[in-house]
Amino acid sequence: MDELQVLIKALEVSADNSILRSHVAKLQFEGERYEEAYENYKIIYDQENDLESLEGMLKSLLELEDYEEALEIVEDEIEERQNWAFGYKVLSECLYDEEEYEEAKTYYEKAVELDTNLRDEEFYEELLNHTGKEKVPLKVINFSAGEEIDGEFEKPKINFENVAGLEDVKESIRSNIIFPLQNPEIYRAYGKSAGGGILLYGPPGCGKTFISMATAGECNAHFVSISITDILDMYLGESEKNLHTLFETARLKAPSIIFIDEIDAIGSSRQGMKNQTSRTLTNQLLIELDSTRNNNENLLVIGATNMPWYVDSAIRRPGRFDRIQFIPPPDTAARIEILKLHLKDRPCEDIDYTFLAKKMKNYSGADIKGVCDFASDRAIKKAMKAGKIVPINTDDLLSGIRILKPSTIEWLKTAKNYATYSNQSGIYDEILEYFEKNK
Ligand code: ATP
């Protein structure tokens, strides 16, 4: 007689022993004797109304592919058992069987948000295939407040061709990010993992977000953008959960890029941010970044800041945002390209790009876009008067330049001070090089 047979015999003489019955049910389940397991779990559940035997019954029914019975049970129970992650997972599987894919997907995501151990990547892929979703909204539940924030994962349609200039940055991203993400097996062979963290810094509007999206586009990765202030705005204690859920979802969808804007806002060195919320959120971010505790392979986290001097030094330690990249204002050649990119779909005539670009020293990419929009408005006014299309010309763009001033000058002044007087471990060497080149 094997162990199970002995226990079944024992159960015949002590039918009320629910601990013994539970053990028998577990062994029967492990031995793939699902019908018997179900019967024993049911006997216990009818007496004790406990979660363990309820879940045992449901697991057995799923193995028996009796989705109808499982659905009936779970629908009866789910109202009473709040935030019952396993219940949502069962609901999801039953609805999948009924070809109710949208609902199945919603319940699956809910289950995983509540308990990440319920993750089942193959099942999720199936759900996504059936729902035809390329773009998957991430719902983050706030248990106490009952509110939600949305982060959107998407596959960006732009790539490096859409980013003007920044050739050195693209090259560095190609070798340090894209190559490892596309060839993780090579990295694994050398005991390294693709992914990790990189910090982009520079004046506002010079393409930190834009080049990050284009990086995801280059390697066909999912991309999600969040800003720290959005997360900090959440109710106390919820921010960390939101951050964790975001990372978990990104891991499920790997290769993924999480773009975190205003990373300085999380740093404890920023004045006024030394409060408890900021500290716990920083700790949560560090936990997520530390690959020792989490599988961060094929997950790249790009942090961005206009104020690198306020970024918490703990965030820059090895294994976290240990690569740091300056995104400078565009040089003359890049300004020509940005002008061309923003004017390519508008009617234009005899534009002297080089002349204009030379006049736009210290203009950011966003400033240049602003000048192009201004010039378009001016041409539209002329077109309305003339009653026909009037192309944008150099003069329209020049009047934009006269009105819209470059926005990076203040930033460059501050950066020069930090680079000159507090350049610990040479982190701002790239800024010094920039000033050297642009004397
Ligand atoms: P912030 O620090 O304010 O968040 P940022 O550095 O992230 O700014 P982006 O949002 O990436 O700047 O850039 C603003 C806009 O400027 C972009 O959407 C894009 O239209 C334009 N732009 C900036 N840099 C470039 C570039 N190198 N090539 C083409 N367009 C650019």
Side-chain angles (χ1 to χ4, degrees):
M1 263 205 270
D2 65 10
E3 185 196 357
L4 182 57
Q5 283 170 317
V6 174
L7 293 174
I8 290 173
K9 278 258 164 244
L11 203 53
E12 282 169 15
V13 287
S14 28
D16 292 338
N17 186 336
S18 54
I19 297 175
L20 179 61
R21 192 175 292 280
S22 168
H23 193 52
V24 167
K26 186 167 164 276
L27 290 177
Q28 285 170 328
F29 185 88
E30 284 167 5
E32 299 181 10
R33 293 162 63 169
Y34 301 120
E35 279 182 31
E36 291 158 80
Y38 171 75
E39 289 304 330
N40 276 315
Y41 278 130
K42 185 164 177 353
I43 292 172
I44 309 168
Y45 182 68
D46 287 344
Q47 287 167 0
E48 319 229 332
N49 197 27
D50 64 312
L51 191 63
E52 195 185 324
S53 52
L54 173 63
E55 294 192 352
M57 273 163 70
L58 290 167
K59 268 190 216 161
S60 309
L61 288 172
L62 292 184
E63 291 294 342
L64 291 165
E65 298 185 3
D66 188 347
Y67 297 106
E68 218 173 294
E69 178 70 17
L71 186 60
E72 207 169 297
I73 296 176
V74 90
E75 277 179 343
D76 277 351
E77 294 284 339
I78 205 125
E79 291 288 308
E80 288 180 21
R81 300 182 188 269
Q82 283 201 344
N83 294 324
W84 181 29
F86 186 75
Y88 288 122
K89 178 81 190 307
V90 175
L91 254 185
S92 168
E93 291 192 33
C94 295
L95 290 165
Y96 180 89
D97 181 62
E98 292 190 356
E99 300 183 5
E100 300 283 353
Y101 301 120
E102 281 290 347
E103 268 193 273
K105 179 175 151 294
T106 307
Y107 284 121
Y108 172 83
E109 285 168 352
K110 208 163 182 177
V112 172
E113 277 159 16
L114 291 164
D115 180 356
T116 51
N117 294 322
L118 294 175
R119 252 173 25 184
D120 178 344
E121 287 176 42
E122 264 178 48
F123 180 57
Y124 194 42
E125 278 298 321
E126 287 280 311
L127 286 169
L128 292 179
N129 285 342
H130 280 292
T131 47
K133 287 270 186 311
E134 264 286 284
K135 213 172 167 186
V136 186
L138 169 78
K139 298 271 181 213
V140 185
I141 298 178
N142 290 296
F143 298 93
S144 57
E147 280 207 357
E148 295 178 346
I149 58 163
D150 286 341
E152 286 218 332
F153 280 85
E154 59 177 315
K155 286 209 168 165
K157 301 228 170 2
I158 57 163
N159 57 32
F160 282 172
E161 276 180 22
N162 303 93
V163 182
L166 297 175
E167 295 310 328
D168 296 349
V169 179
K170 285 181 198 165
E171 203 36 55
S172 153
I173 291 179
R174 264 193 206 102
S175 51
N176 292 315
I177 297 175
I178 297 173
F179 183 77
L181 277 181
Q182 286 176 336
N183 302 279
E185 66 295 339
I186 296 184
Y187 270 64
R188 226 176 285 133
Y190 290 93
K192 294 190 77 176
S193 69
I198 177 166
L199 184 67
L200 305 183
Y201 74 97
C206 288
K208 296 183 289 298
T209 315
F210 203 56
I211 202 165
S212 303
M213 280 184 86
T215 303
E218 283 283 313
C219 46
N220 199 26
H222 279 106
F223 180 84
V224 65
S225 166
I226 50 160
S227 100
I228 290 294
T229 36
D230 285 349
I231 305 182
L232 276 171
D233 273 350
M234 303 309 299
Y235 290 82
L236 217 70
E238 298 302 319
S239 318
E240 302 88 66
K241 207 179 294 154
N242 286 323
L243 201 61
H244 177 67
T245 311
L246 187 86
F247 271 77
E248 282 295 301
T249 312
R251 282 181 194 111
L252 270 178
K253 292 176 186 298
S256 315
I257 295 182
I258 298 182
F259 179 79
I260 308 181
D261 209 358
E262 304 170 38
I263 199 95
D264 51 277
I266 209 177
S268 56
S269 54
R270 188 174 184 180
Q271 294 212 337
M273 293 299 295
K274 291 184 182 178
N275 59 33
Q276 186 61 26
T277 318
S278 173
R279 257 199 309 276
T280 49
L281 191 57
T282 305
N283 289 340
Q284 184 64 36
L285 182 62
L286 298 184
I287 289 171
E288 300 298 343
L289 291 171
D290 284 345
S291 42
T292 44
R293 276 193 63 177
N294 295 292
N295 172 17
N296 279 349
E297 188 162 52
N298 285 345
L299 168 65
L300 179 80
V301 190
I302 303 184
T305 177
N306 301 335
M307 295 179 280
W309 32 88
Y310 287 144
V311 172
D312 190 335
S313 60
I315 284 178
R316 291 203 307 258
R317 287 205 193 110
R320 295 171 182 167
F321 291 108
D322 45 5
R323 283 163 285 168
I324 171 158
Q325 178 77 54
F326 177 44
I327 307 287
D331 59 17
T332 314
R335 294 198 293 272
I336 293 176
E337 264 191 78
I338 297 176
L339 275 169
K340 286 183 177 168
L341 270 176
H342 288 295
L343 293 173
K344 78 175 177 345
D345 296 323
R346 312 183 199 199
C348 293
E349 190 178 60
D350 299 332
I351 307 270
D352 190 342
Y353 289 103
T354 311
F355 167 75
L356 291 166
K358 283 191 177 150
K359 293 230 164 258
M360 295 174 101
K361 190 165 187 256
N362 295 326
Y363 277 66
S364 70
D367 295 337
I368 299 172
K369 181 175 181 292
V371 169
C372 295
D373 290 342
F374 179 92
S376 289
D377 289 345
R378 197 168 185 255
I380 289 172
K381 275 186 202 141
K382 284 190 263 176
M384 284 190 346
K385 262 194 203 155
K388 60 175 183 170
I389 297 282
V390 177
I392 300 167
N393 60 28
T394 304
D395 197 42
D396 295 322
L397 289 151
L398 253 186
S399 38
I401 293 172
R402 269 183 232 111
I403 290 191
L404 303 167
K405 294 293 156 207
S407 65
T408 67
I409 293 174
E410 273 309 305
W411 187 91
L412 289 168
K413 265 191 215 157
T414 313
K416 194 173 187 178
N417 275 336
Y418 278 99
T420 312
Y421 301 111
S422 36
N423 191 16
Q424 301 101 336
S425 29
I427 56 167
Y428 302 129
D429 283 353
E430 285 174 303
I431 295 184
L432 294 176
E433 268 171 44
Y434 173 83
F435 283 112
E436 197 53 39
K437 265 197 214 158
N438 291 280
K439 266 186 194 164

